């Protein structure tokens, strides 16, 4: 399958074909994602929580994010990959935003970047787009500013706050973004924004009417156990499977059930006898 482009995603929206999207941070997961056939992958700063064990996404740095993106690119060479701009990589100035978006492109060969915020990041989106890169906006629950919005909470639940989100979505499209990620809003709001915009709207906890869905890989595989948001559907319970495997291995080692003959290398024929004979003469100093 050839790698999809921003134009393919526009066409998919027009045809009403849902876009499939997942986060990935490591090589084996990226390989499996490409094999399974996702339309796009996000190297999300959720890596801060899922992989690095922080309580939020704010501590992630550009160097860490670029390294995750390089790894994912190696695992999924033919998939559209989006690098997530970490906290303080774009809020500080348009110049910083262009420079750091460019790092994702030059060092990790991403196809697009994503950044959080509505009207207040329009200059950054315009700057990055004018420099020749593709931008996905991100509004609703924006984890980098979760402190300001009162935590990891659903957004746009009143007419007034929903209207602010609609205005943000329109501003992001006007600024030149190729797509928008909408997080943790009621389905009615997801529907209005999806129908209002020409660009694809990808939802996470934004209901069933968006042009596509994204989930965090650790959540949907049941691997990340710290907390599970309401919008997650678990497609596996890897935590249980992995812990069971670890316990069995510990037990096997303790009881001598592992390793067995079949896990052992053999000496070349005749070499063991030679070694025994040499040992009888003593180990040379
Ligand atoms: O960092 C991330 O994984 C995200 C999710 C909300 C998709 O932005």
């Amino acid at each position: 399958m050839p790698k999809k482009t921003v134009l393919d995603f526009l066409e998919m929206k027009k045809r009403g074909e849902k876009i499939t999207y997942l986060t990935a941070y490591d090589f084996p997961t990226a390989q499996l994602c490409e094999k399974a056939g996702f339309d796009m992958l996000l190297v999300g700063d959720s890596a801060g929580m899922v992989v690095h064990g922080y309580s939020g996404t704010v501590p992630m740095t550009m160097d860490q994010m670029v390294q995750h993106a390089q790894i994912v690119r190696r695992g999924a060479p033919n998939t559209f990959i989006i690098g997530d701009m970490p906290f303080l990589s774009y809020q500080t100035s348009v110049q910083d935003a262009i420079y750091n978006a460019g790092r994702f492109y030059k060092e990790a060969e991403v196809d697009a970047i994503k950044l959080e915020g509505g009207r207040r990041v329009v200059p950054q989106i315009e700057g990055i787009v004018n420099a020749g890169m593709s931008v996905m906006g991100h509004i609703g629950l924006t984890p980098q500013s979760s402190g300001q919005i009162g935590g990891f909470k659903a957004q746009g639940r009143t007419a007034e706050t929903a209207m602010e989100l609609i205005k943000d979505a329109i501003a992001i499209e006007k600024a030149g973004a190729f797509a928008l990620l909408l997080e943790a809003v009621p389905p009615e709001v997801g529907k209005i924004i999806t129908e209002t915009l020409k660009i694809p709207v990808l939802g996470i906890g934004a209901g069933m009417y968006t042009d596509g869905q994204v989930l965090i890989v650790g959540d949907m595989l049941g691997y990340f156990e710290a907390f599970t948001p309401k919008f997650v559907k678990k497609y596996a319970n890897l935590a249980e499977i992995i812990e069971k495997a670890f316990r069995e291995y510990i037990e096997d080692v303790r009881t001598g059930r592992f390793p067995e003959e079949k896990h052992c290398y053999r000496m070349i024929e005749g070499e063991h006898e030679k070694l025994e004979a040499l040992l009888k003469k003593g180990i040379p100093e």
Side-chain angles (χ1 to χ4, degrees):
M1 266 270 264
K3 196 208 281 187
K4 293 209 166 65
T5 69
V6 294
L7 298 181
D8 293 319
F9 301 129
L10 274 176
E11 288 305 316
M12 286 173 82
K13 171 163 182 139
K14 280 189 203 151
R15 291 196 296 268
E17 218 178 290
K18 295 280 186 184
I19 299 167
T20 59
Y21 187 20
L22 190 71
T23 67
Y25 323 104
D26 64 73
F27 182 77
T29 307
Q31 277 190 315
L32 293 170
C33 285
E34 183 155 298
K35 257 198 201 169
F38 281 100
D39 296 311
M40 51 171 82
L41 292 177
L42 173 69
V43 183
D45 63 357
S46 49
M49 300 163 89
V50 179
V51 179
H52 293 257
Y54 296 121
S55 60
T57 57
V58 165
M60 289 304 283
T61 66
M62 261 318 284
D63 285 346
Q64 288 170 320
M65 290 304 301
V66 166
Q67 192 176 35
H68 281 295
Q70 290 167 333
I71 293 166
V72 171
R73 171 50 81 210
R74 285 196 288 274
N78 295 312
T79 304
F80 190 95
I81 292 175
I82 299 161
D84 202 7
M85 301 277 281
F87 184 59
L88 286 195
S89 68
Y90 59 96
Q91 289 93 341
T92 42
S93 69
V94 172
Q95 203 178 346
D96 284 351
I98 298 171
Y99 177 77
N100 286 315
R103 279 198 62 193
F104 268 122
Y105 270 71
K106 283 173 81 74
E107 297 174 42
E109 299 180 81
V110 300
D111 301 289
I113 62 90
K114 174 174 89 58
L115 49 76
E116 295 181 9
R119 281 158 285 176
R120 64 183 176 185
V121 292
V122 159
Q124 281 88 336
I125 296 176
E126 285 172 344
I128 297 168
V129 171
N130 285 336
M133 296 175 270
S134 302
V135 178
M136 175 179 281
H138 179 168
I139 57 170
L141 198 181
T142 44
Q144 288 175 17
S145 44
S146 57
Q148 218 175 32
I149 59 178
F152 291 91
K153 285 193 176 142
Q155 301 295 304
R157 298 180 68 203
T158 64
E160 198 185 326
T161 55
M163 190 55 82
E164 292 306 308
L165 287 177
I166 294 166
K167 287 186 205 161
D168 280 336
I170 293 169
I172 286 169
E173 177 170 88
K174 276 200 181 134
F178 81 98
L180 175 69
L181 175 59
L182 192 54
E183 178 167 357
V185 302
E188 304 90 302
V189 179
K191 187 168 191 280
I192 293 166
I193 291 178
T194 303
E195 288 172 356
T196 303
L197 299 194
K198 290 189 187 65
I199 58 172
V201 176
L202 288 309
I204 179 162
M208 53 298 275
Y209 305 110
T210 55
D211 299 305
Q213 297 290 332
V214 59
L215 281 178
I216 290 176
V217 63
D219 289 338
M220 64 92 78
L221 291 179
Y223 180 58
F224 176 67
E225 291 187 296
F227 69 92
T228 305
K230 175 185 171 73
F231 56 72
V232 171
K233 178 172 175 183
K234 276 196 190 184
Y235 288 82
N237 198 338
L238 286 199
E240 208 176 281
I241 293 170
I242 292 171
E243 193 183 324
K244 183 168 173 283
F246 289 164
R247 287 182 187 284
E248 270 177 36
Y249 169 57
I250 289 170
E251 190 58 18
D252 277 2
V253 171
R254 285 190 179 145
T255 58
R257 275 200 302 264
F258 175 81
E260 299 167 45
E261 273 300 312
K262 65 183 174 192
H263 304 118
C264 298
Y265 296 105
R266 303 263 46 114
M267 286 189 81
I268 294 169
E269 216 176 314
E271 292 300 313
H272 186 208
E273 292 73 13
K274 268 197 219 165
L275 179 62
E276 291 290 347
L278 285 173
L279 282 173
K280 272 193 192 136
K281 290 185 200 158
I283 300 172
E285 290 282 307

